[in-house]
Amino acid sequence: MSDIYEKVIELAKRRGFVWPSAELYGSVAGFIDYGPLGAMTKRRIEDIWRHYYIIREGYYEIECPTVGTEAIYLASGHAKGFADKMCQCPHCHEYFRADHLAEACGIENGAVLSKEDLAAAITDAACPSCGETFGQTEVFDFNLMFQTTIGPGSQRKGYLRPETAQGIFTDFSRLSRFYRQKLPFGAVQIGKSYRNEISPRQGMIRLREFTQAEAEIFVNPEEKTHPAFARYADYSVDLWAIEQQQQNTEAITKTMRQAVDEGIIANEYIAYYLALTHELLATIGVDPKRTRFRQHLPDERAHYAIDCWDAEVYSERFGWVEVVGIADRTDYDLRAHAAESSDSMTVFVPFDEVRKETRKRIVANMGVLGPKYRGKAAKIAAALEEAMPGPDGAEVVVDGETIFVPGDLYTLHEEEVEVRGAEVMPHVIEPSYGVDRMIYSVLEHAYEEEEIDGEVRTVLHLAPCIAPVQVAVFPLVKKDGLDTIAREITVDLQDAGVLADYDDNGAIGRRYRRQDEIGTPFAVTVDTETKEEGTVTLRDRDSMAQVRVKTDDLVQTLVSLTRGRTTFADLTTE
RNA sequence: GCGAUAGUAGUCUAGUGGUAGGACAGUGGCUUCCCAAGCCACUAACUCGGGUUCGAAUCCCGGCUAUCGCACCA
């Protein structure tokens, strides 16, 4: 049966929203092209995202390469952790995850075994597909990252990034200086990421090249209270928390204040971005009734994450689809990069008041110590500074050798120092949006076939702020100079930054329907009254209602309508 | 990736071993003062590669893509 997915995809293909990529030479699953209308819609959605995260939250956007060196992904764990150990049945040539097979044979922790151990573990395993015994089989890594080499003849490995986040982490120190080393701060990135999925099946939902919009917000681990939390404290969303999932009950509706106070959501930052995400999705036209937030269960959550929620959108075709992930990733990423690089990845956080601390310091008496230990003296002196002295001496370890240094070879100083703050490794709050999934959700929720006088009218109820074509301009008939007036109006609208589409082809009804199908929210029609009274009709896509508007006021009215400042209903009640 | 099924203009579809019709859409024109109206004309397709055959869109094999099942997967 032709379900809504097929109808939406058919429309998207036919009218130029989304196409299979490079159909000319045969397309490859997991790659899509955005056609003229799709690219415009995507841009508008991204710009609304920018409005929320850059303009309102104040996290500037950066843009990093999609190709990264191996070091980045060794640090991030993607080079290892993103790889599955696979094997192939020698009889039926089916592929399986080796660790799953091993676990089916009663091996625990198959995931941590080496390739060789796994191969040994599965020799007696029966193939889940054909039932034959595996025997000696090779276990190989399948890494979800696309690999490339950098430079001619170079052995230097490069990877296409599997997420945009790493670019922000690798720029951490410069970002910290840009924000004058004051937590919290954040950066965002919108761009392509790549995952070489084994078998992408679900159209726009699982792609090998996809667009992410990610924010990495660096916060003081001691202060996970969002400075603007009041904005969303009373905002309520549907939460499908761990408890409801385990008890198999429905999502619960809570305000963000309640959810944080009751400990359902780990902190204000997570709650704040849950609410912001809910509002953003509603703004671009995702049905709030078909939006919920699902908390990751403890066993699916990454071990370092404190709390993680997915914004899920209901699709008639795919069920609940993860569109946004919002996680508190703690200092995992920065710690990983600090360990791999020579950067501390910390921010100096001053204390509210300068703290006075007394510090014990051991100063070696080099005049005695030097001659006594000779070549080892410098190292022993350095080790002494860190040592805990006993009553008559201190033990230090130098080059694996334990040396007892008598108390008369050093003096103990007690000094009062002023401590003005501490080096803090921030925690990362990460809202991560799948832009392609947002677009699909919007299209599916906007699609409607309604019956008008026995005819089916196909309408995309796109929000005026994301509709690719914002206004259509028609002469009612192509004579008496009506077309000239309509063309002039089109240019006036275009000059005001409104994407206006002039059309004089065919009957007026057909032109309305054409625009309905691509979601154009408003249509302006020029008729004889335009010449006599100086007014045009403005037609609303959703209600098909019309009002007469003064030609002189038209541009201003439409600018305001397309930006969502006013609605068509406001015009009719005036 | 494996198995099953399928692939005909932009879309939907008819069809047969002898090189393809329809509908809708689109374009040009006529008509038309408000919701896919009417009339005329036009454009436009056999998924790709190989094989069998005098001849293949049709039969066979393979690739690609889509749908479904399995596996995989945020």
Side-chain angles (χ1 to χ4, degrees), chain A residues 45-73:
Chain A
I45 287 175
E46 288 169 0
D47 281 344
I48 287 169
W49 194 93
R50 287 189 173 93
H51 177 84
Y52 274 88
Y53 277 93
I54 305 173
I55 297 178
R56 223 178 69 179
E57 296 297 299
Y59 306 136
Y60 283 86
E61 181 175 13
I62 66 170
E63 197 173 312
C64 308
T66 53
V67 176
T69 55
E70 194 176 16
I72 300 167
Y73 298 106

Side-chain angles (χ1 to χ4, degrees), chain A residues 82-353:
Chain A
F82 231 51
D84 291 327
K85 291 189 179 67
M86 306 281 293
C87 60
Q88 190 178 23
C89 171
H91 311 286
C92 67
H93 307 295
E94 183 84 66
Y95 286 97
F96 300 98
R97 274 184 60 167
D99 55 327
H100 287 187
L101 284 174
E103 279 168 18
C105 295
I107 307 277
E108 281 180 32
N109 298 326
V112 300
L113 292 179
S114 70
K115 279 183 274 190
E116 291 72 25
D117 290 345
L118 277 170
I122 61 170
T123 46
D124 297 332
C127 171
S129 178
C130 68
E132 296 278 341
T133 306
F134 265 88
Q136 285 296 322
T137 328
E138 194 198 348
V139 173
F140 56 92
D141 282 321
F142 179 79
N143 195 297
L144 257 13
M145 284 195 294
F146 285 98
Q147 220 183 85
T148 185
T149 48
I150 301 170
S154 165
Q155 294 308 301
R156 196 157 187 201
K157 254 195 232 169
Y159 292 103
L160 293 191
R161 64 183 179 197
E163 59 177 25
T164 57
Q166 296 306 324
I168 298 174
F169 297 139
T170 51
D171 280 345
F172 175 78
S173 292
R174 291 201 177 272
L175 283 166
S176 172
R177 248 166 275 141
F178 172 84
Y179 286 106
R180 304 207 303 269
Q181 296 158 67
K182 219 166 169 350
L183 291 174
F185 63 81
V188 306
Q189 182 158 203
I190 299 181
K192 290 291 183 85
S193 295
Y194 303 83
R195 291 180 194 177
N196 199 2
E197 300 284 355
I198 297 169
S199 170
R201 278 281 197 95
Q202 299 147 29
M204 292 178 71
I205 301 297
R206 241 175 93 219
L207 295 170
R208 289 185 166 128
E209 171 171 330
F210 55 101
T211 301
Q212 284 187 306
E214 293 193 300
E216 307 300 329
I217 302 150
F218 300 103
V219 305
N220 186 334
E222 306 299 319
E223 289 174 26
K224 290 191 179 172
T225 51
H226 194 291
F229 187 69
R231 188 203 296 273
Y232 291 122
D234 298 322
Y235 195 103
S236 57
V237 303
D238 289 345
L239 300 174
W240 203 36
I242 292 169
E243 191 186 335
Q244 287 81 50
Q245 291 174 63
Q246 285 171 343
Q247 294 173 359
N248 209 7
T249 54
E250 292 290 300
I252 47 168
T253 307
K254 292 274 179 189
T255 67
M256 294 301 97
R257 170 56 64 207
Q258 288 171 329
V260 172
D261 288 350
E262 294 170 21
I264 301 168
I265 300 178
N267 56 57
E268 284 188 5
Y269 265 97
I270 298 287
Y272 182 93
Y273 291 105
L274 246 57
L276 183 150
T277 297
H278 190 270
E279 189 181 59
L280 190 157
L281 291 177
T283 303
I284 64 167
V286 175
D287 182 2
K289 292 194 205 73
R290 285 180 269 178
T291 305
R292 74 175 182 196
F293 290 87
R294 188 181 72 84
Q295 191 170 29
H296 277 208
L297 297 168
D299 59 343
E300 69 178 310
R301 193 166 65 207
H303 62 276
Y304 48 81
I306 290 175
D307 196 10
C308 186
W309 293 78
D310 289 340
E312 295 186 324
V313 174
Y314 190 76
S315 154
E316 270 184 44
R317 171 59 168 249
F318 301 111
W320 289 98
V321 175
E322 175 207 342
V323 172
V324 186
I326 299 164
D328 182 336
R329 298 175 58 94
T330 67
D331 59 7
Y332 173 80
D333 305 276
L334 293 181
R335 193 165 290 286
H337 282 292
E340 184 80 14
S341 70
S342 54
D343 197 299
S344 70
M345 310 300 259
T346 56
V347 176
F348 182 80
V349 177
F351 298 135
D352 294 337
E353 284 175 28

Side-chain angles (χ1 to χ4, degrees), chain A residues 350-369:
Chain A
F351 298 135
D352 294 337
E353 284 175 28
V354 175
R355 293 180 198 169
K356 294 218 161 120
E357 286 180 10
T358 50
R359 255 185 218 170
K360 282 189 181 162
R361 209 155 76 86
I362 300 176
V363 179
N365 185 351
M366 291 311 282
V368 193
L369 197 138

